[in-house]
Amino acid sequence: MTYYVTTPIYYVNAKPHLGHAYTTIVCDSLTRFHRLIGDDSFMLTGTDEHGDKIAEAAAREGCSPQVYVNYISSSFQFAWPKFSVQYDDFIRTTEERHKTAVSRFMNLVSERGDIYFGEYGGLYCVGCERFYTEKELENGLCPDHKTPPKYIAEKNYFFRMGKYQDWLIDHIKKNPDFIQPERYKNEVLSFLSEPLEDLCVSRPKSRLSWGIDIPFDHNFVTYVWFDALINYITALGWPDGEKFPRYWPSAEHVVAKDILKPHAIFWPIMLHSAGLPVYKRLNVHGYWRMEESKMSKSVGNVVDIFTLREEFGSDAIRYFLMREMNFGLDSEFSRERVLERHNADLANDFGNLWQRSATMLHKYLGGVVPATALREIAADPAWSAQLSSLIGEYKENFLRVRPQEALKKVWEFVGSLNKLIDSEAPWALARAEETRPRLQIVMATLIKGLAVIGALASPVAPRTGAELWRRLGLDPGRITLDLAEIDAGLSRGQVVEVGDPFFLRAEREDKGKKTPAPPKAKAPQAPPEGPAPEIDFAEFKRLDLKIGEILEAEPVPKSDKLLKLKVSLGAEERTIVAGIKKYFEPAELVGQRLLVVANLAPRELMGLKSHGMVLCASGEGTLAILNPSRPLPPGSPVS
Ligand code: MSP
């Protein structure tokens, strides 16, 4: 089977925040789940870079729209890998491939007689990039932005949406899964019970030039929503690419309810008018709210995802987001809630299960999974039934895009294994010869259960899943749900590695004062007390500071502190050996920009020559690499 999933393409008028991260992580988890069950899967994300609000934001920043969109788009591309998001393509609507697809699409729809020239006057919200009817406004204000819309009247091109209204109603009714959850399908049907107005699909260049030209009239650019929706097929190489016939029939979009109408009404009608099959399913979720209000840049209550990640780690944030929000409904966000889930589900339930099981395996059975007991439990119908029902329910929930339910099932299983330890008391079973066979069964059950948990958790917590499999001596690159294969991998006589706790309990905030999480490794030395001696400017100028970009990062063999970095300084590449291994995964460093002392005398560390030094800040028991606030090219001077 194939699987194609898309996030909305995000506007580049704001940097990525928790709301964007949620949708993107849902899509990444779904893609990883589909890969786990063997589907040929493809995930798309990207940025929506045209339209009034982008042009206005660029003007506010005092730069050209293209410079502005390049800068913000890169912050999305930078963010997602930090949350283990592995998209297959990142599309930008200012790319040539997209402009070509939009022109072809527009011509096609026009050839079908579905575009006409006319005049329209209406109330327009720049924030939403759309016209509102009086009825849709709340006290005369845009319901999302709480700002008054502007009255705009002008000549434009229109798309005959009304013509396809009955077809769309029929399609939604015949395909009950087309829009889910059900409440959003009903909302769309209720909207469609009123006559559908035609859609204005152009903007005169005299008012706005930041867009894709209408191919048959260069005095106009394409309305941003008409341009943006087409991204979903541009990325598959429509009309000629091989990916289009391969993935499009299985296309699923994931969006929040703010953009239900363009996705549930405009887009299927656009596709139908162009003679293309419509997407398979639209999955609509609710809002993350802060103190009862939708989290959004315009309200100014967005949560900084990097601060959260710093404190809890990417897997914990992913787990929290997927577990806490009931897909389709709104959810209230607070650090306290993250902390509760982190401590209860991850540090306690999951962490203790692993630590107790692995430690007891070492204490009582030399760290090796008992192969005979593993075969015995595999033949036990009750245990097999428990595992197949768990996996069955998990799959069913993921297929219906209910990640919260899938995870709930997995954590119920975690709870049942913790209970098994309490009720069987392996420490007591280990005391007598006649209870040793039972001990072996219990330990085999725990370890096999943990391997299954690692696999089931891996779409949402990929680092944890992979690390758990590695500690069990299983190949993390080949995580599978095939129980027989897991058994075979577990009974090769390898010694299970206990390792450090996966999640350390985080502390509560004390009277609004943040208490840092316990350090993950020994804190770097604090600088000596008292102010450093004064230096003059000439002394400071002796430092040659430059922006660098990490091209490669790898551990230095036999060192627990050092990483070997290949750093680009623009004109040259340097090898720099840095004592930062305890604080960073090599993979997360690649692509990061940082500050380098370029004229430090070379020195040898563990047999490697280091040419320069990377600058880090230390505190709260950890290190932070200093990134430039804009992604300036490597080699840029620092002063
Ligand atoms: N550019 C359009 C989408 C075009 S798709 C062809 C757009 N961009 S956006 O930057 O405003 O992103 C909106 C999306 O971001 C929502 O649909 C949702 O996926 C995500 N979210 C933004 N804020 C959110 C919350 N507070 N809560 C949940 N999701 C949020 O609309």
Side-chain angles (χ1 to χ4, degrees), residues 575-578 600-605 608-613:
T575 298
I576 299 181
V577 181
L600 195 70
R603 68 178 187 135
E604 203 164 292
L605 293 156
L608 293 167
K609 262 252 163 77
S610 178
H611 297 266
M613 184 173 126

Side-chain angles (χ1 to χ4, degrees), residues 8-11 13 17 19-20 22-23 48 53 225 228-229 231-232 254-259 263 285-289 294-296 325:
I9 46 170
Y10 302 112
Y11 285 132
N13 62 342
H17 63 66
H20 307 124
Y22 174 72
T23 319
D48 188 355
K53 57 166 144 178
W225 267 104
L229 289 160
N231 91 86
Y232 299 134
V254 179
V255 298
K257 59 188 178 183
D258 51 346
I259 50 177
H263 283 84
H285 64 77
Y287 293 149
W288 282 98
R289 296 177 171 273
K294 178 191 172 195
M295 192 184 292
S296 80
M325 179 174 260

Side-chain angles (χ1 to χ4, degrees), residues 81-198:
K82 304 265 172 266
F83 290 87
S84 303
V85 171
Q86 285 178 339
Y87 49 77
D88 295 284
D89 198 351
F90 189 101
I91 184 153
R92 301 183 54 191
T93 54
T94 49
E95 287 174 81
E96 251 352 279
R97 58 172 173 162
H98 183 62
K99 292 182 190 167
T100 313
V102 170
S103 296
R104 291 181 83 155
F105 195 95
M106 192 55 118
N107 277 330
L108 203 61
V109 180
S110 167
E111 280 156 21
R112 299 225 164 205
D114 289 339
I115 301 277
Y116 63 89
F117 197 56
E119 177 153 334
Y120 184 79
L123 296 166
Y124 189 77
C125 171
V126 173
C128 301
E129 305 270 16
R130 58 167 278 210
F131 285 101
Y132 274 96
T133 60
E134 296 275 4
K135 230 166 69 190
E136 288 175 304
L137 299 175
E138 282 171 11
N139 303 323
L141 302 179
C142 158
D144 256 358
H145 293 88
K146 317 281 180 225
T147 48
K150 288 186 203 161
Y151 182 83
I152 294 184
E154 58 198 12
K155 280 205 153 56
N156 266 311
Y157 287 92
F158 288 83
F159 173 55
R160 292 188 201 282
M161 284 219 300
K163 177 174 155 190
Y164 296 103
Q165 179 160 6
D166 291 341
W167 164 81
L168 182 59
I169 296 174
D170 194 49
H171 184 82
I172 296 174
K173 288 191 173 156
K174 281 195 184 128
N175 297 277
D177 242 11
F178 185 58
I179 302 167
Q180 76 96 18
E182 182 103 6
R183 60 161 54 76
Y184 296 109
K185 176 176 93 176
N186 296 337
E187 198 175 301
V188 172
L189 284 174
S190 125
F191 188 85
L192 286 171
S193 63
E194 304 273 326
L196 197 55
E197 281 182 24
D198 289 346

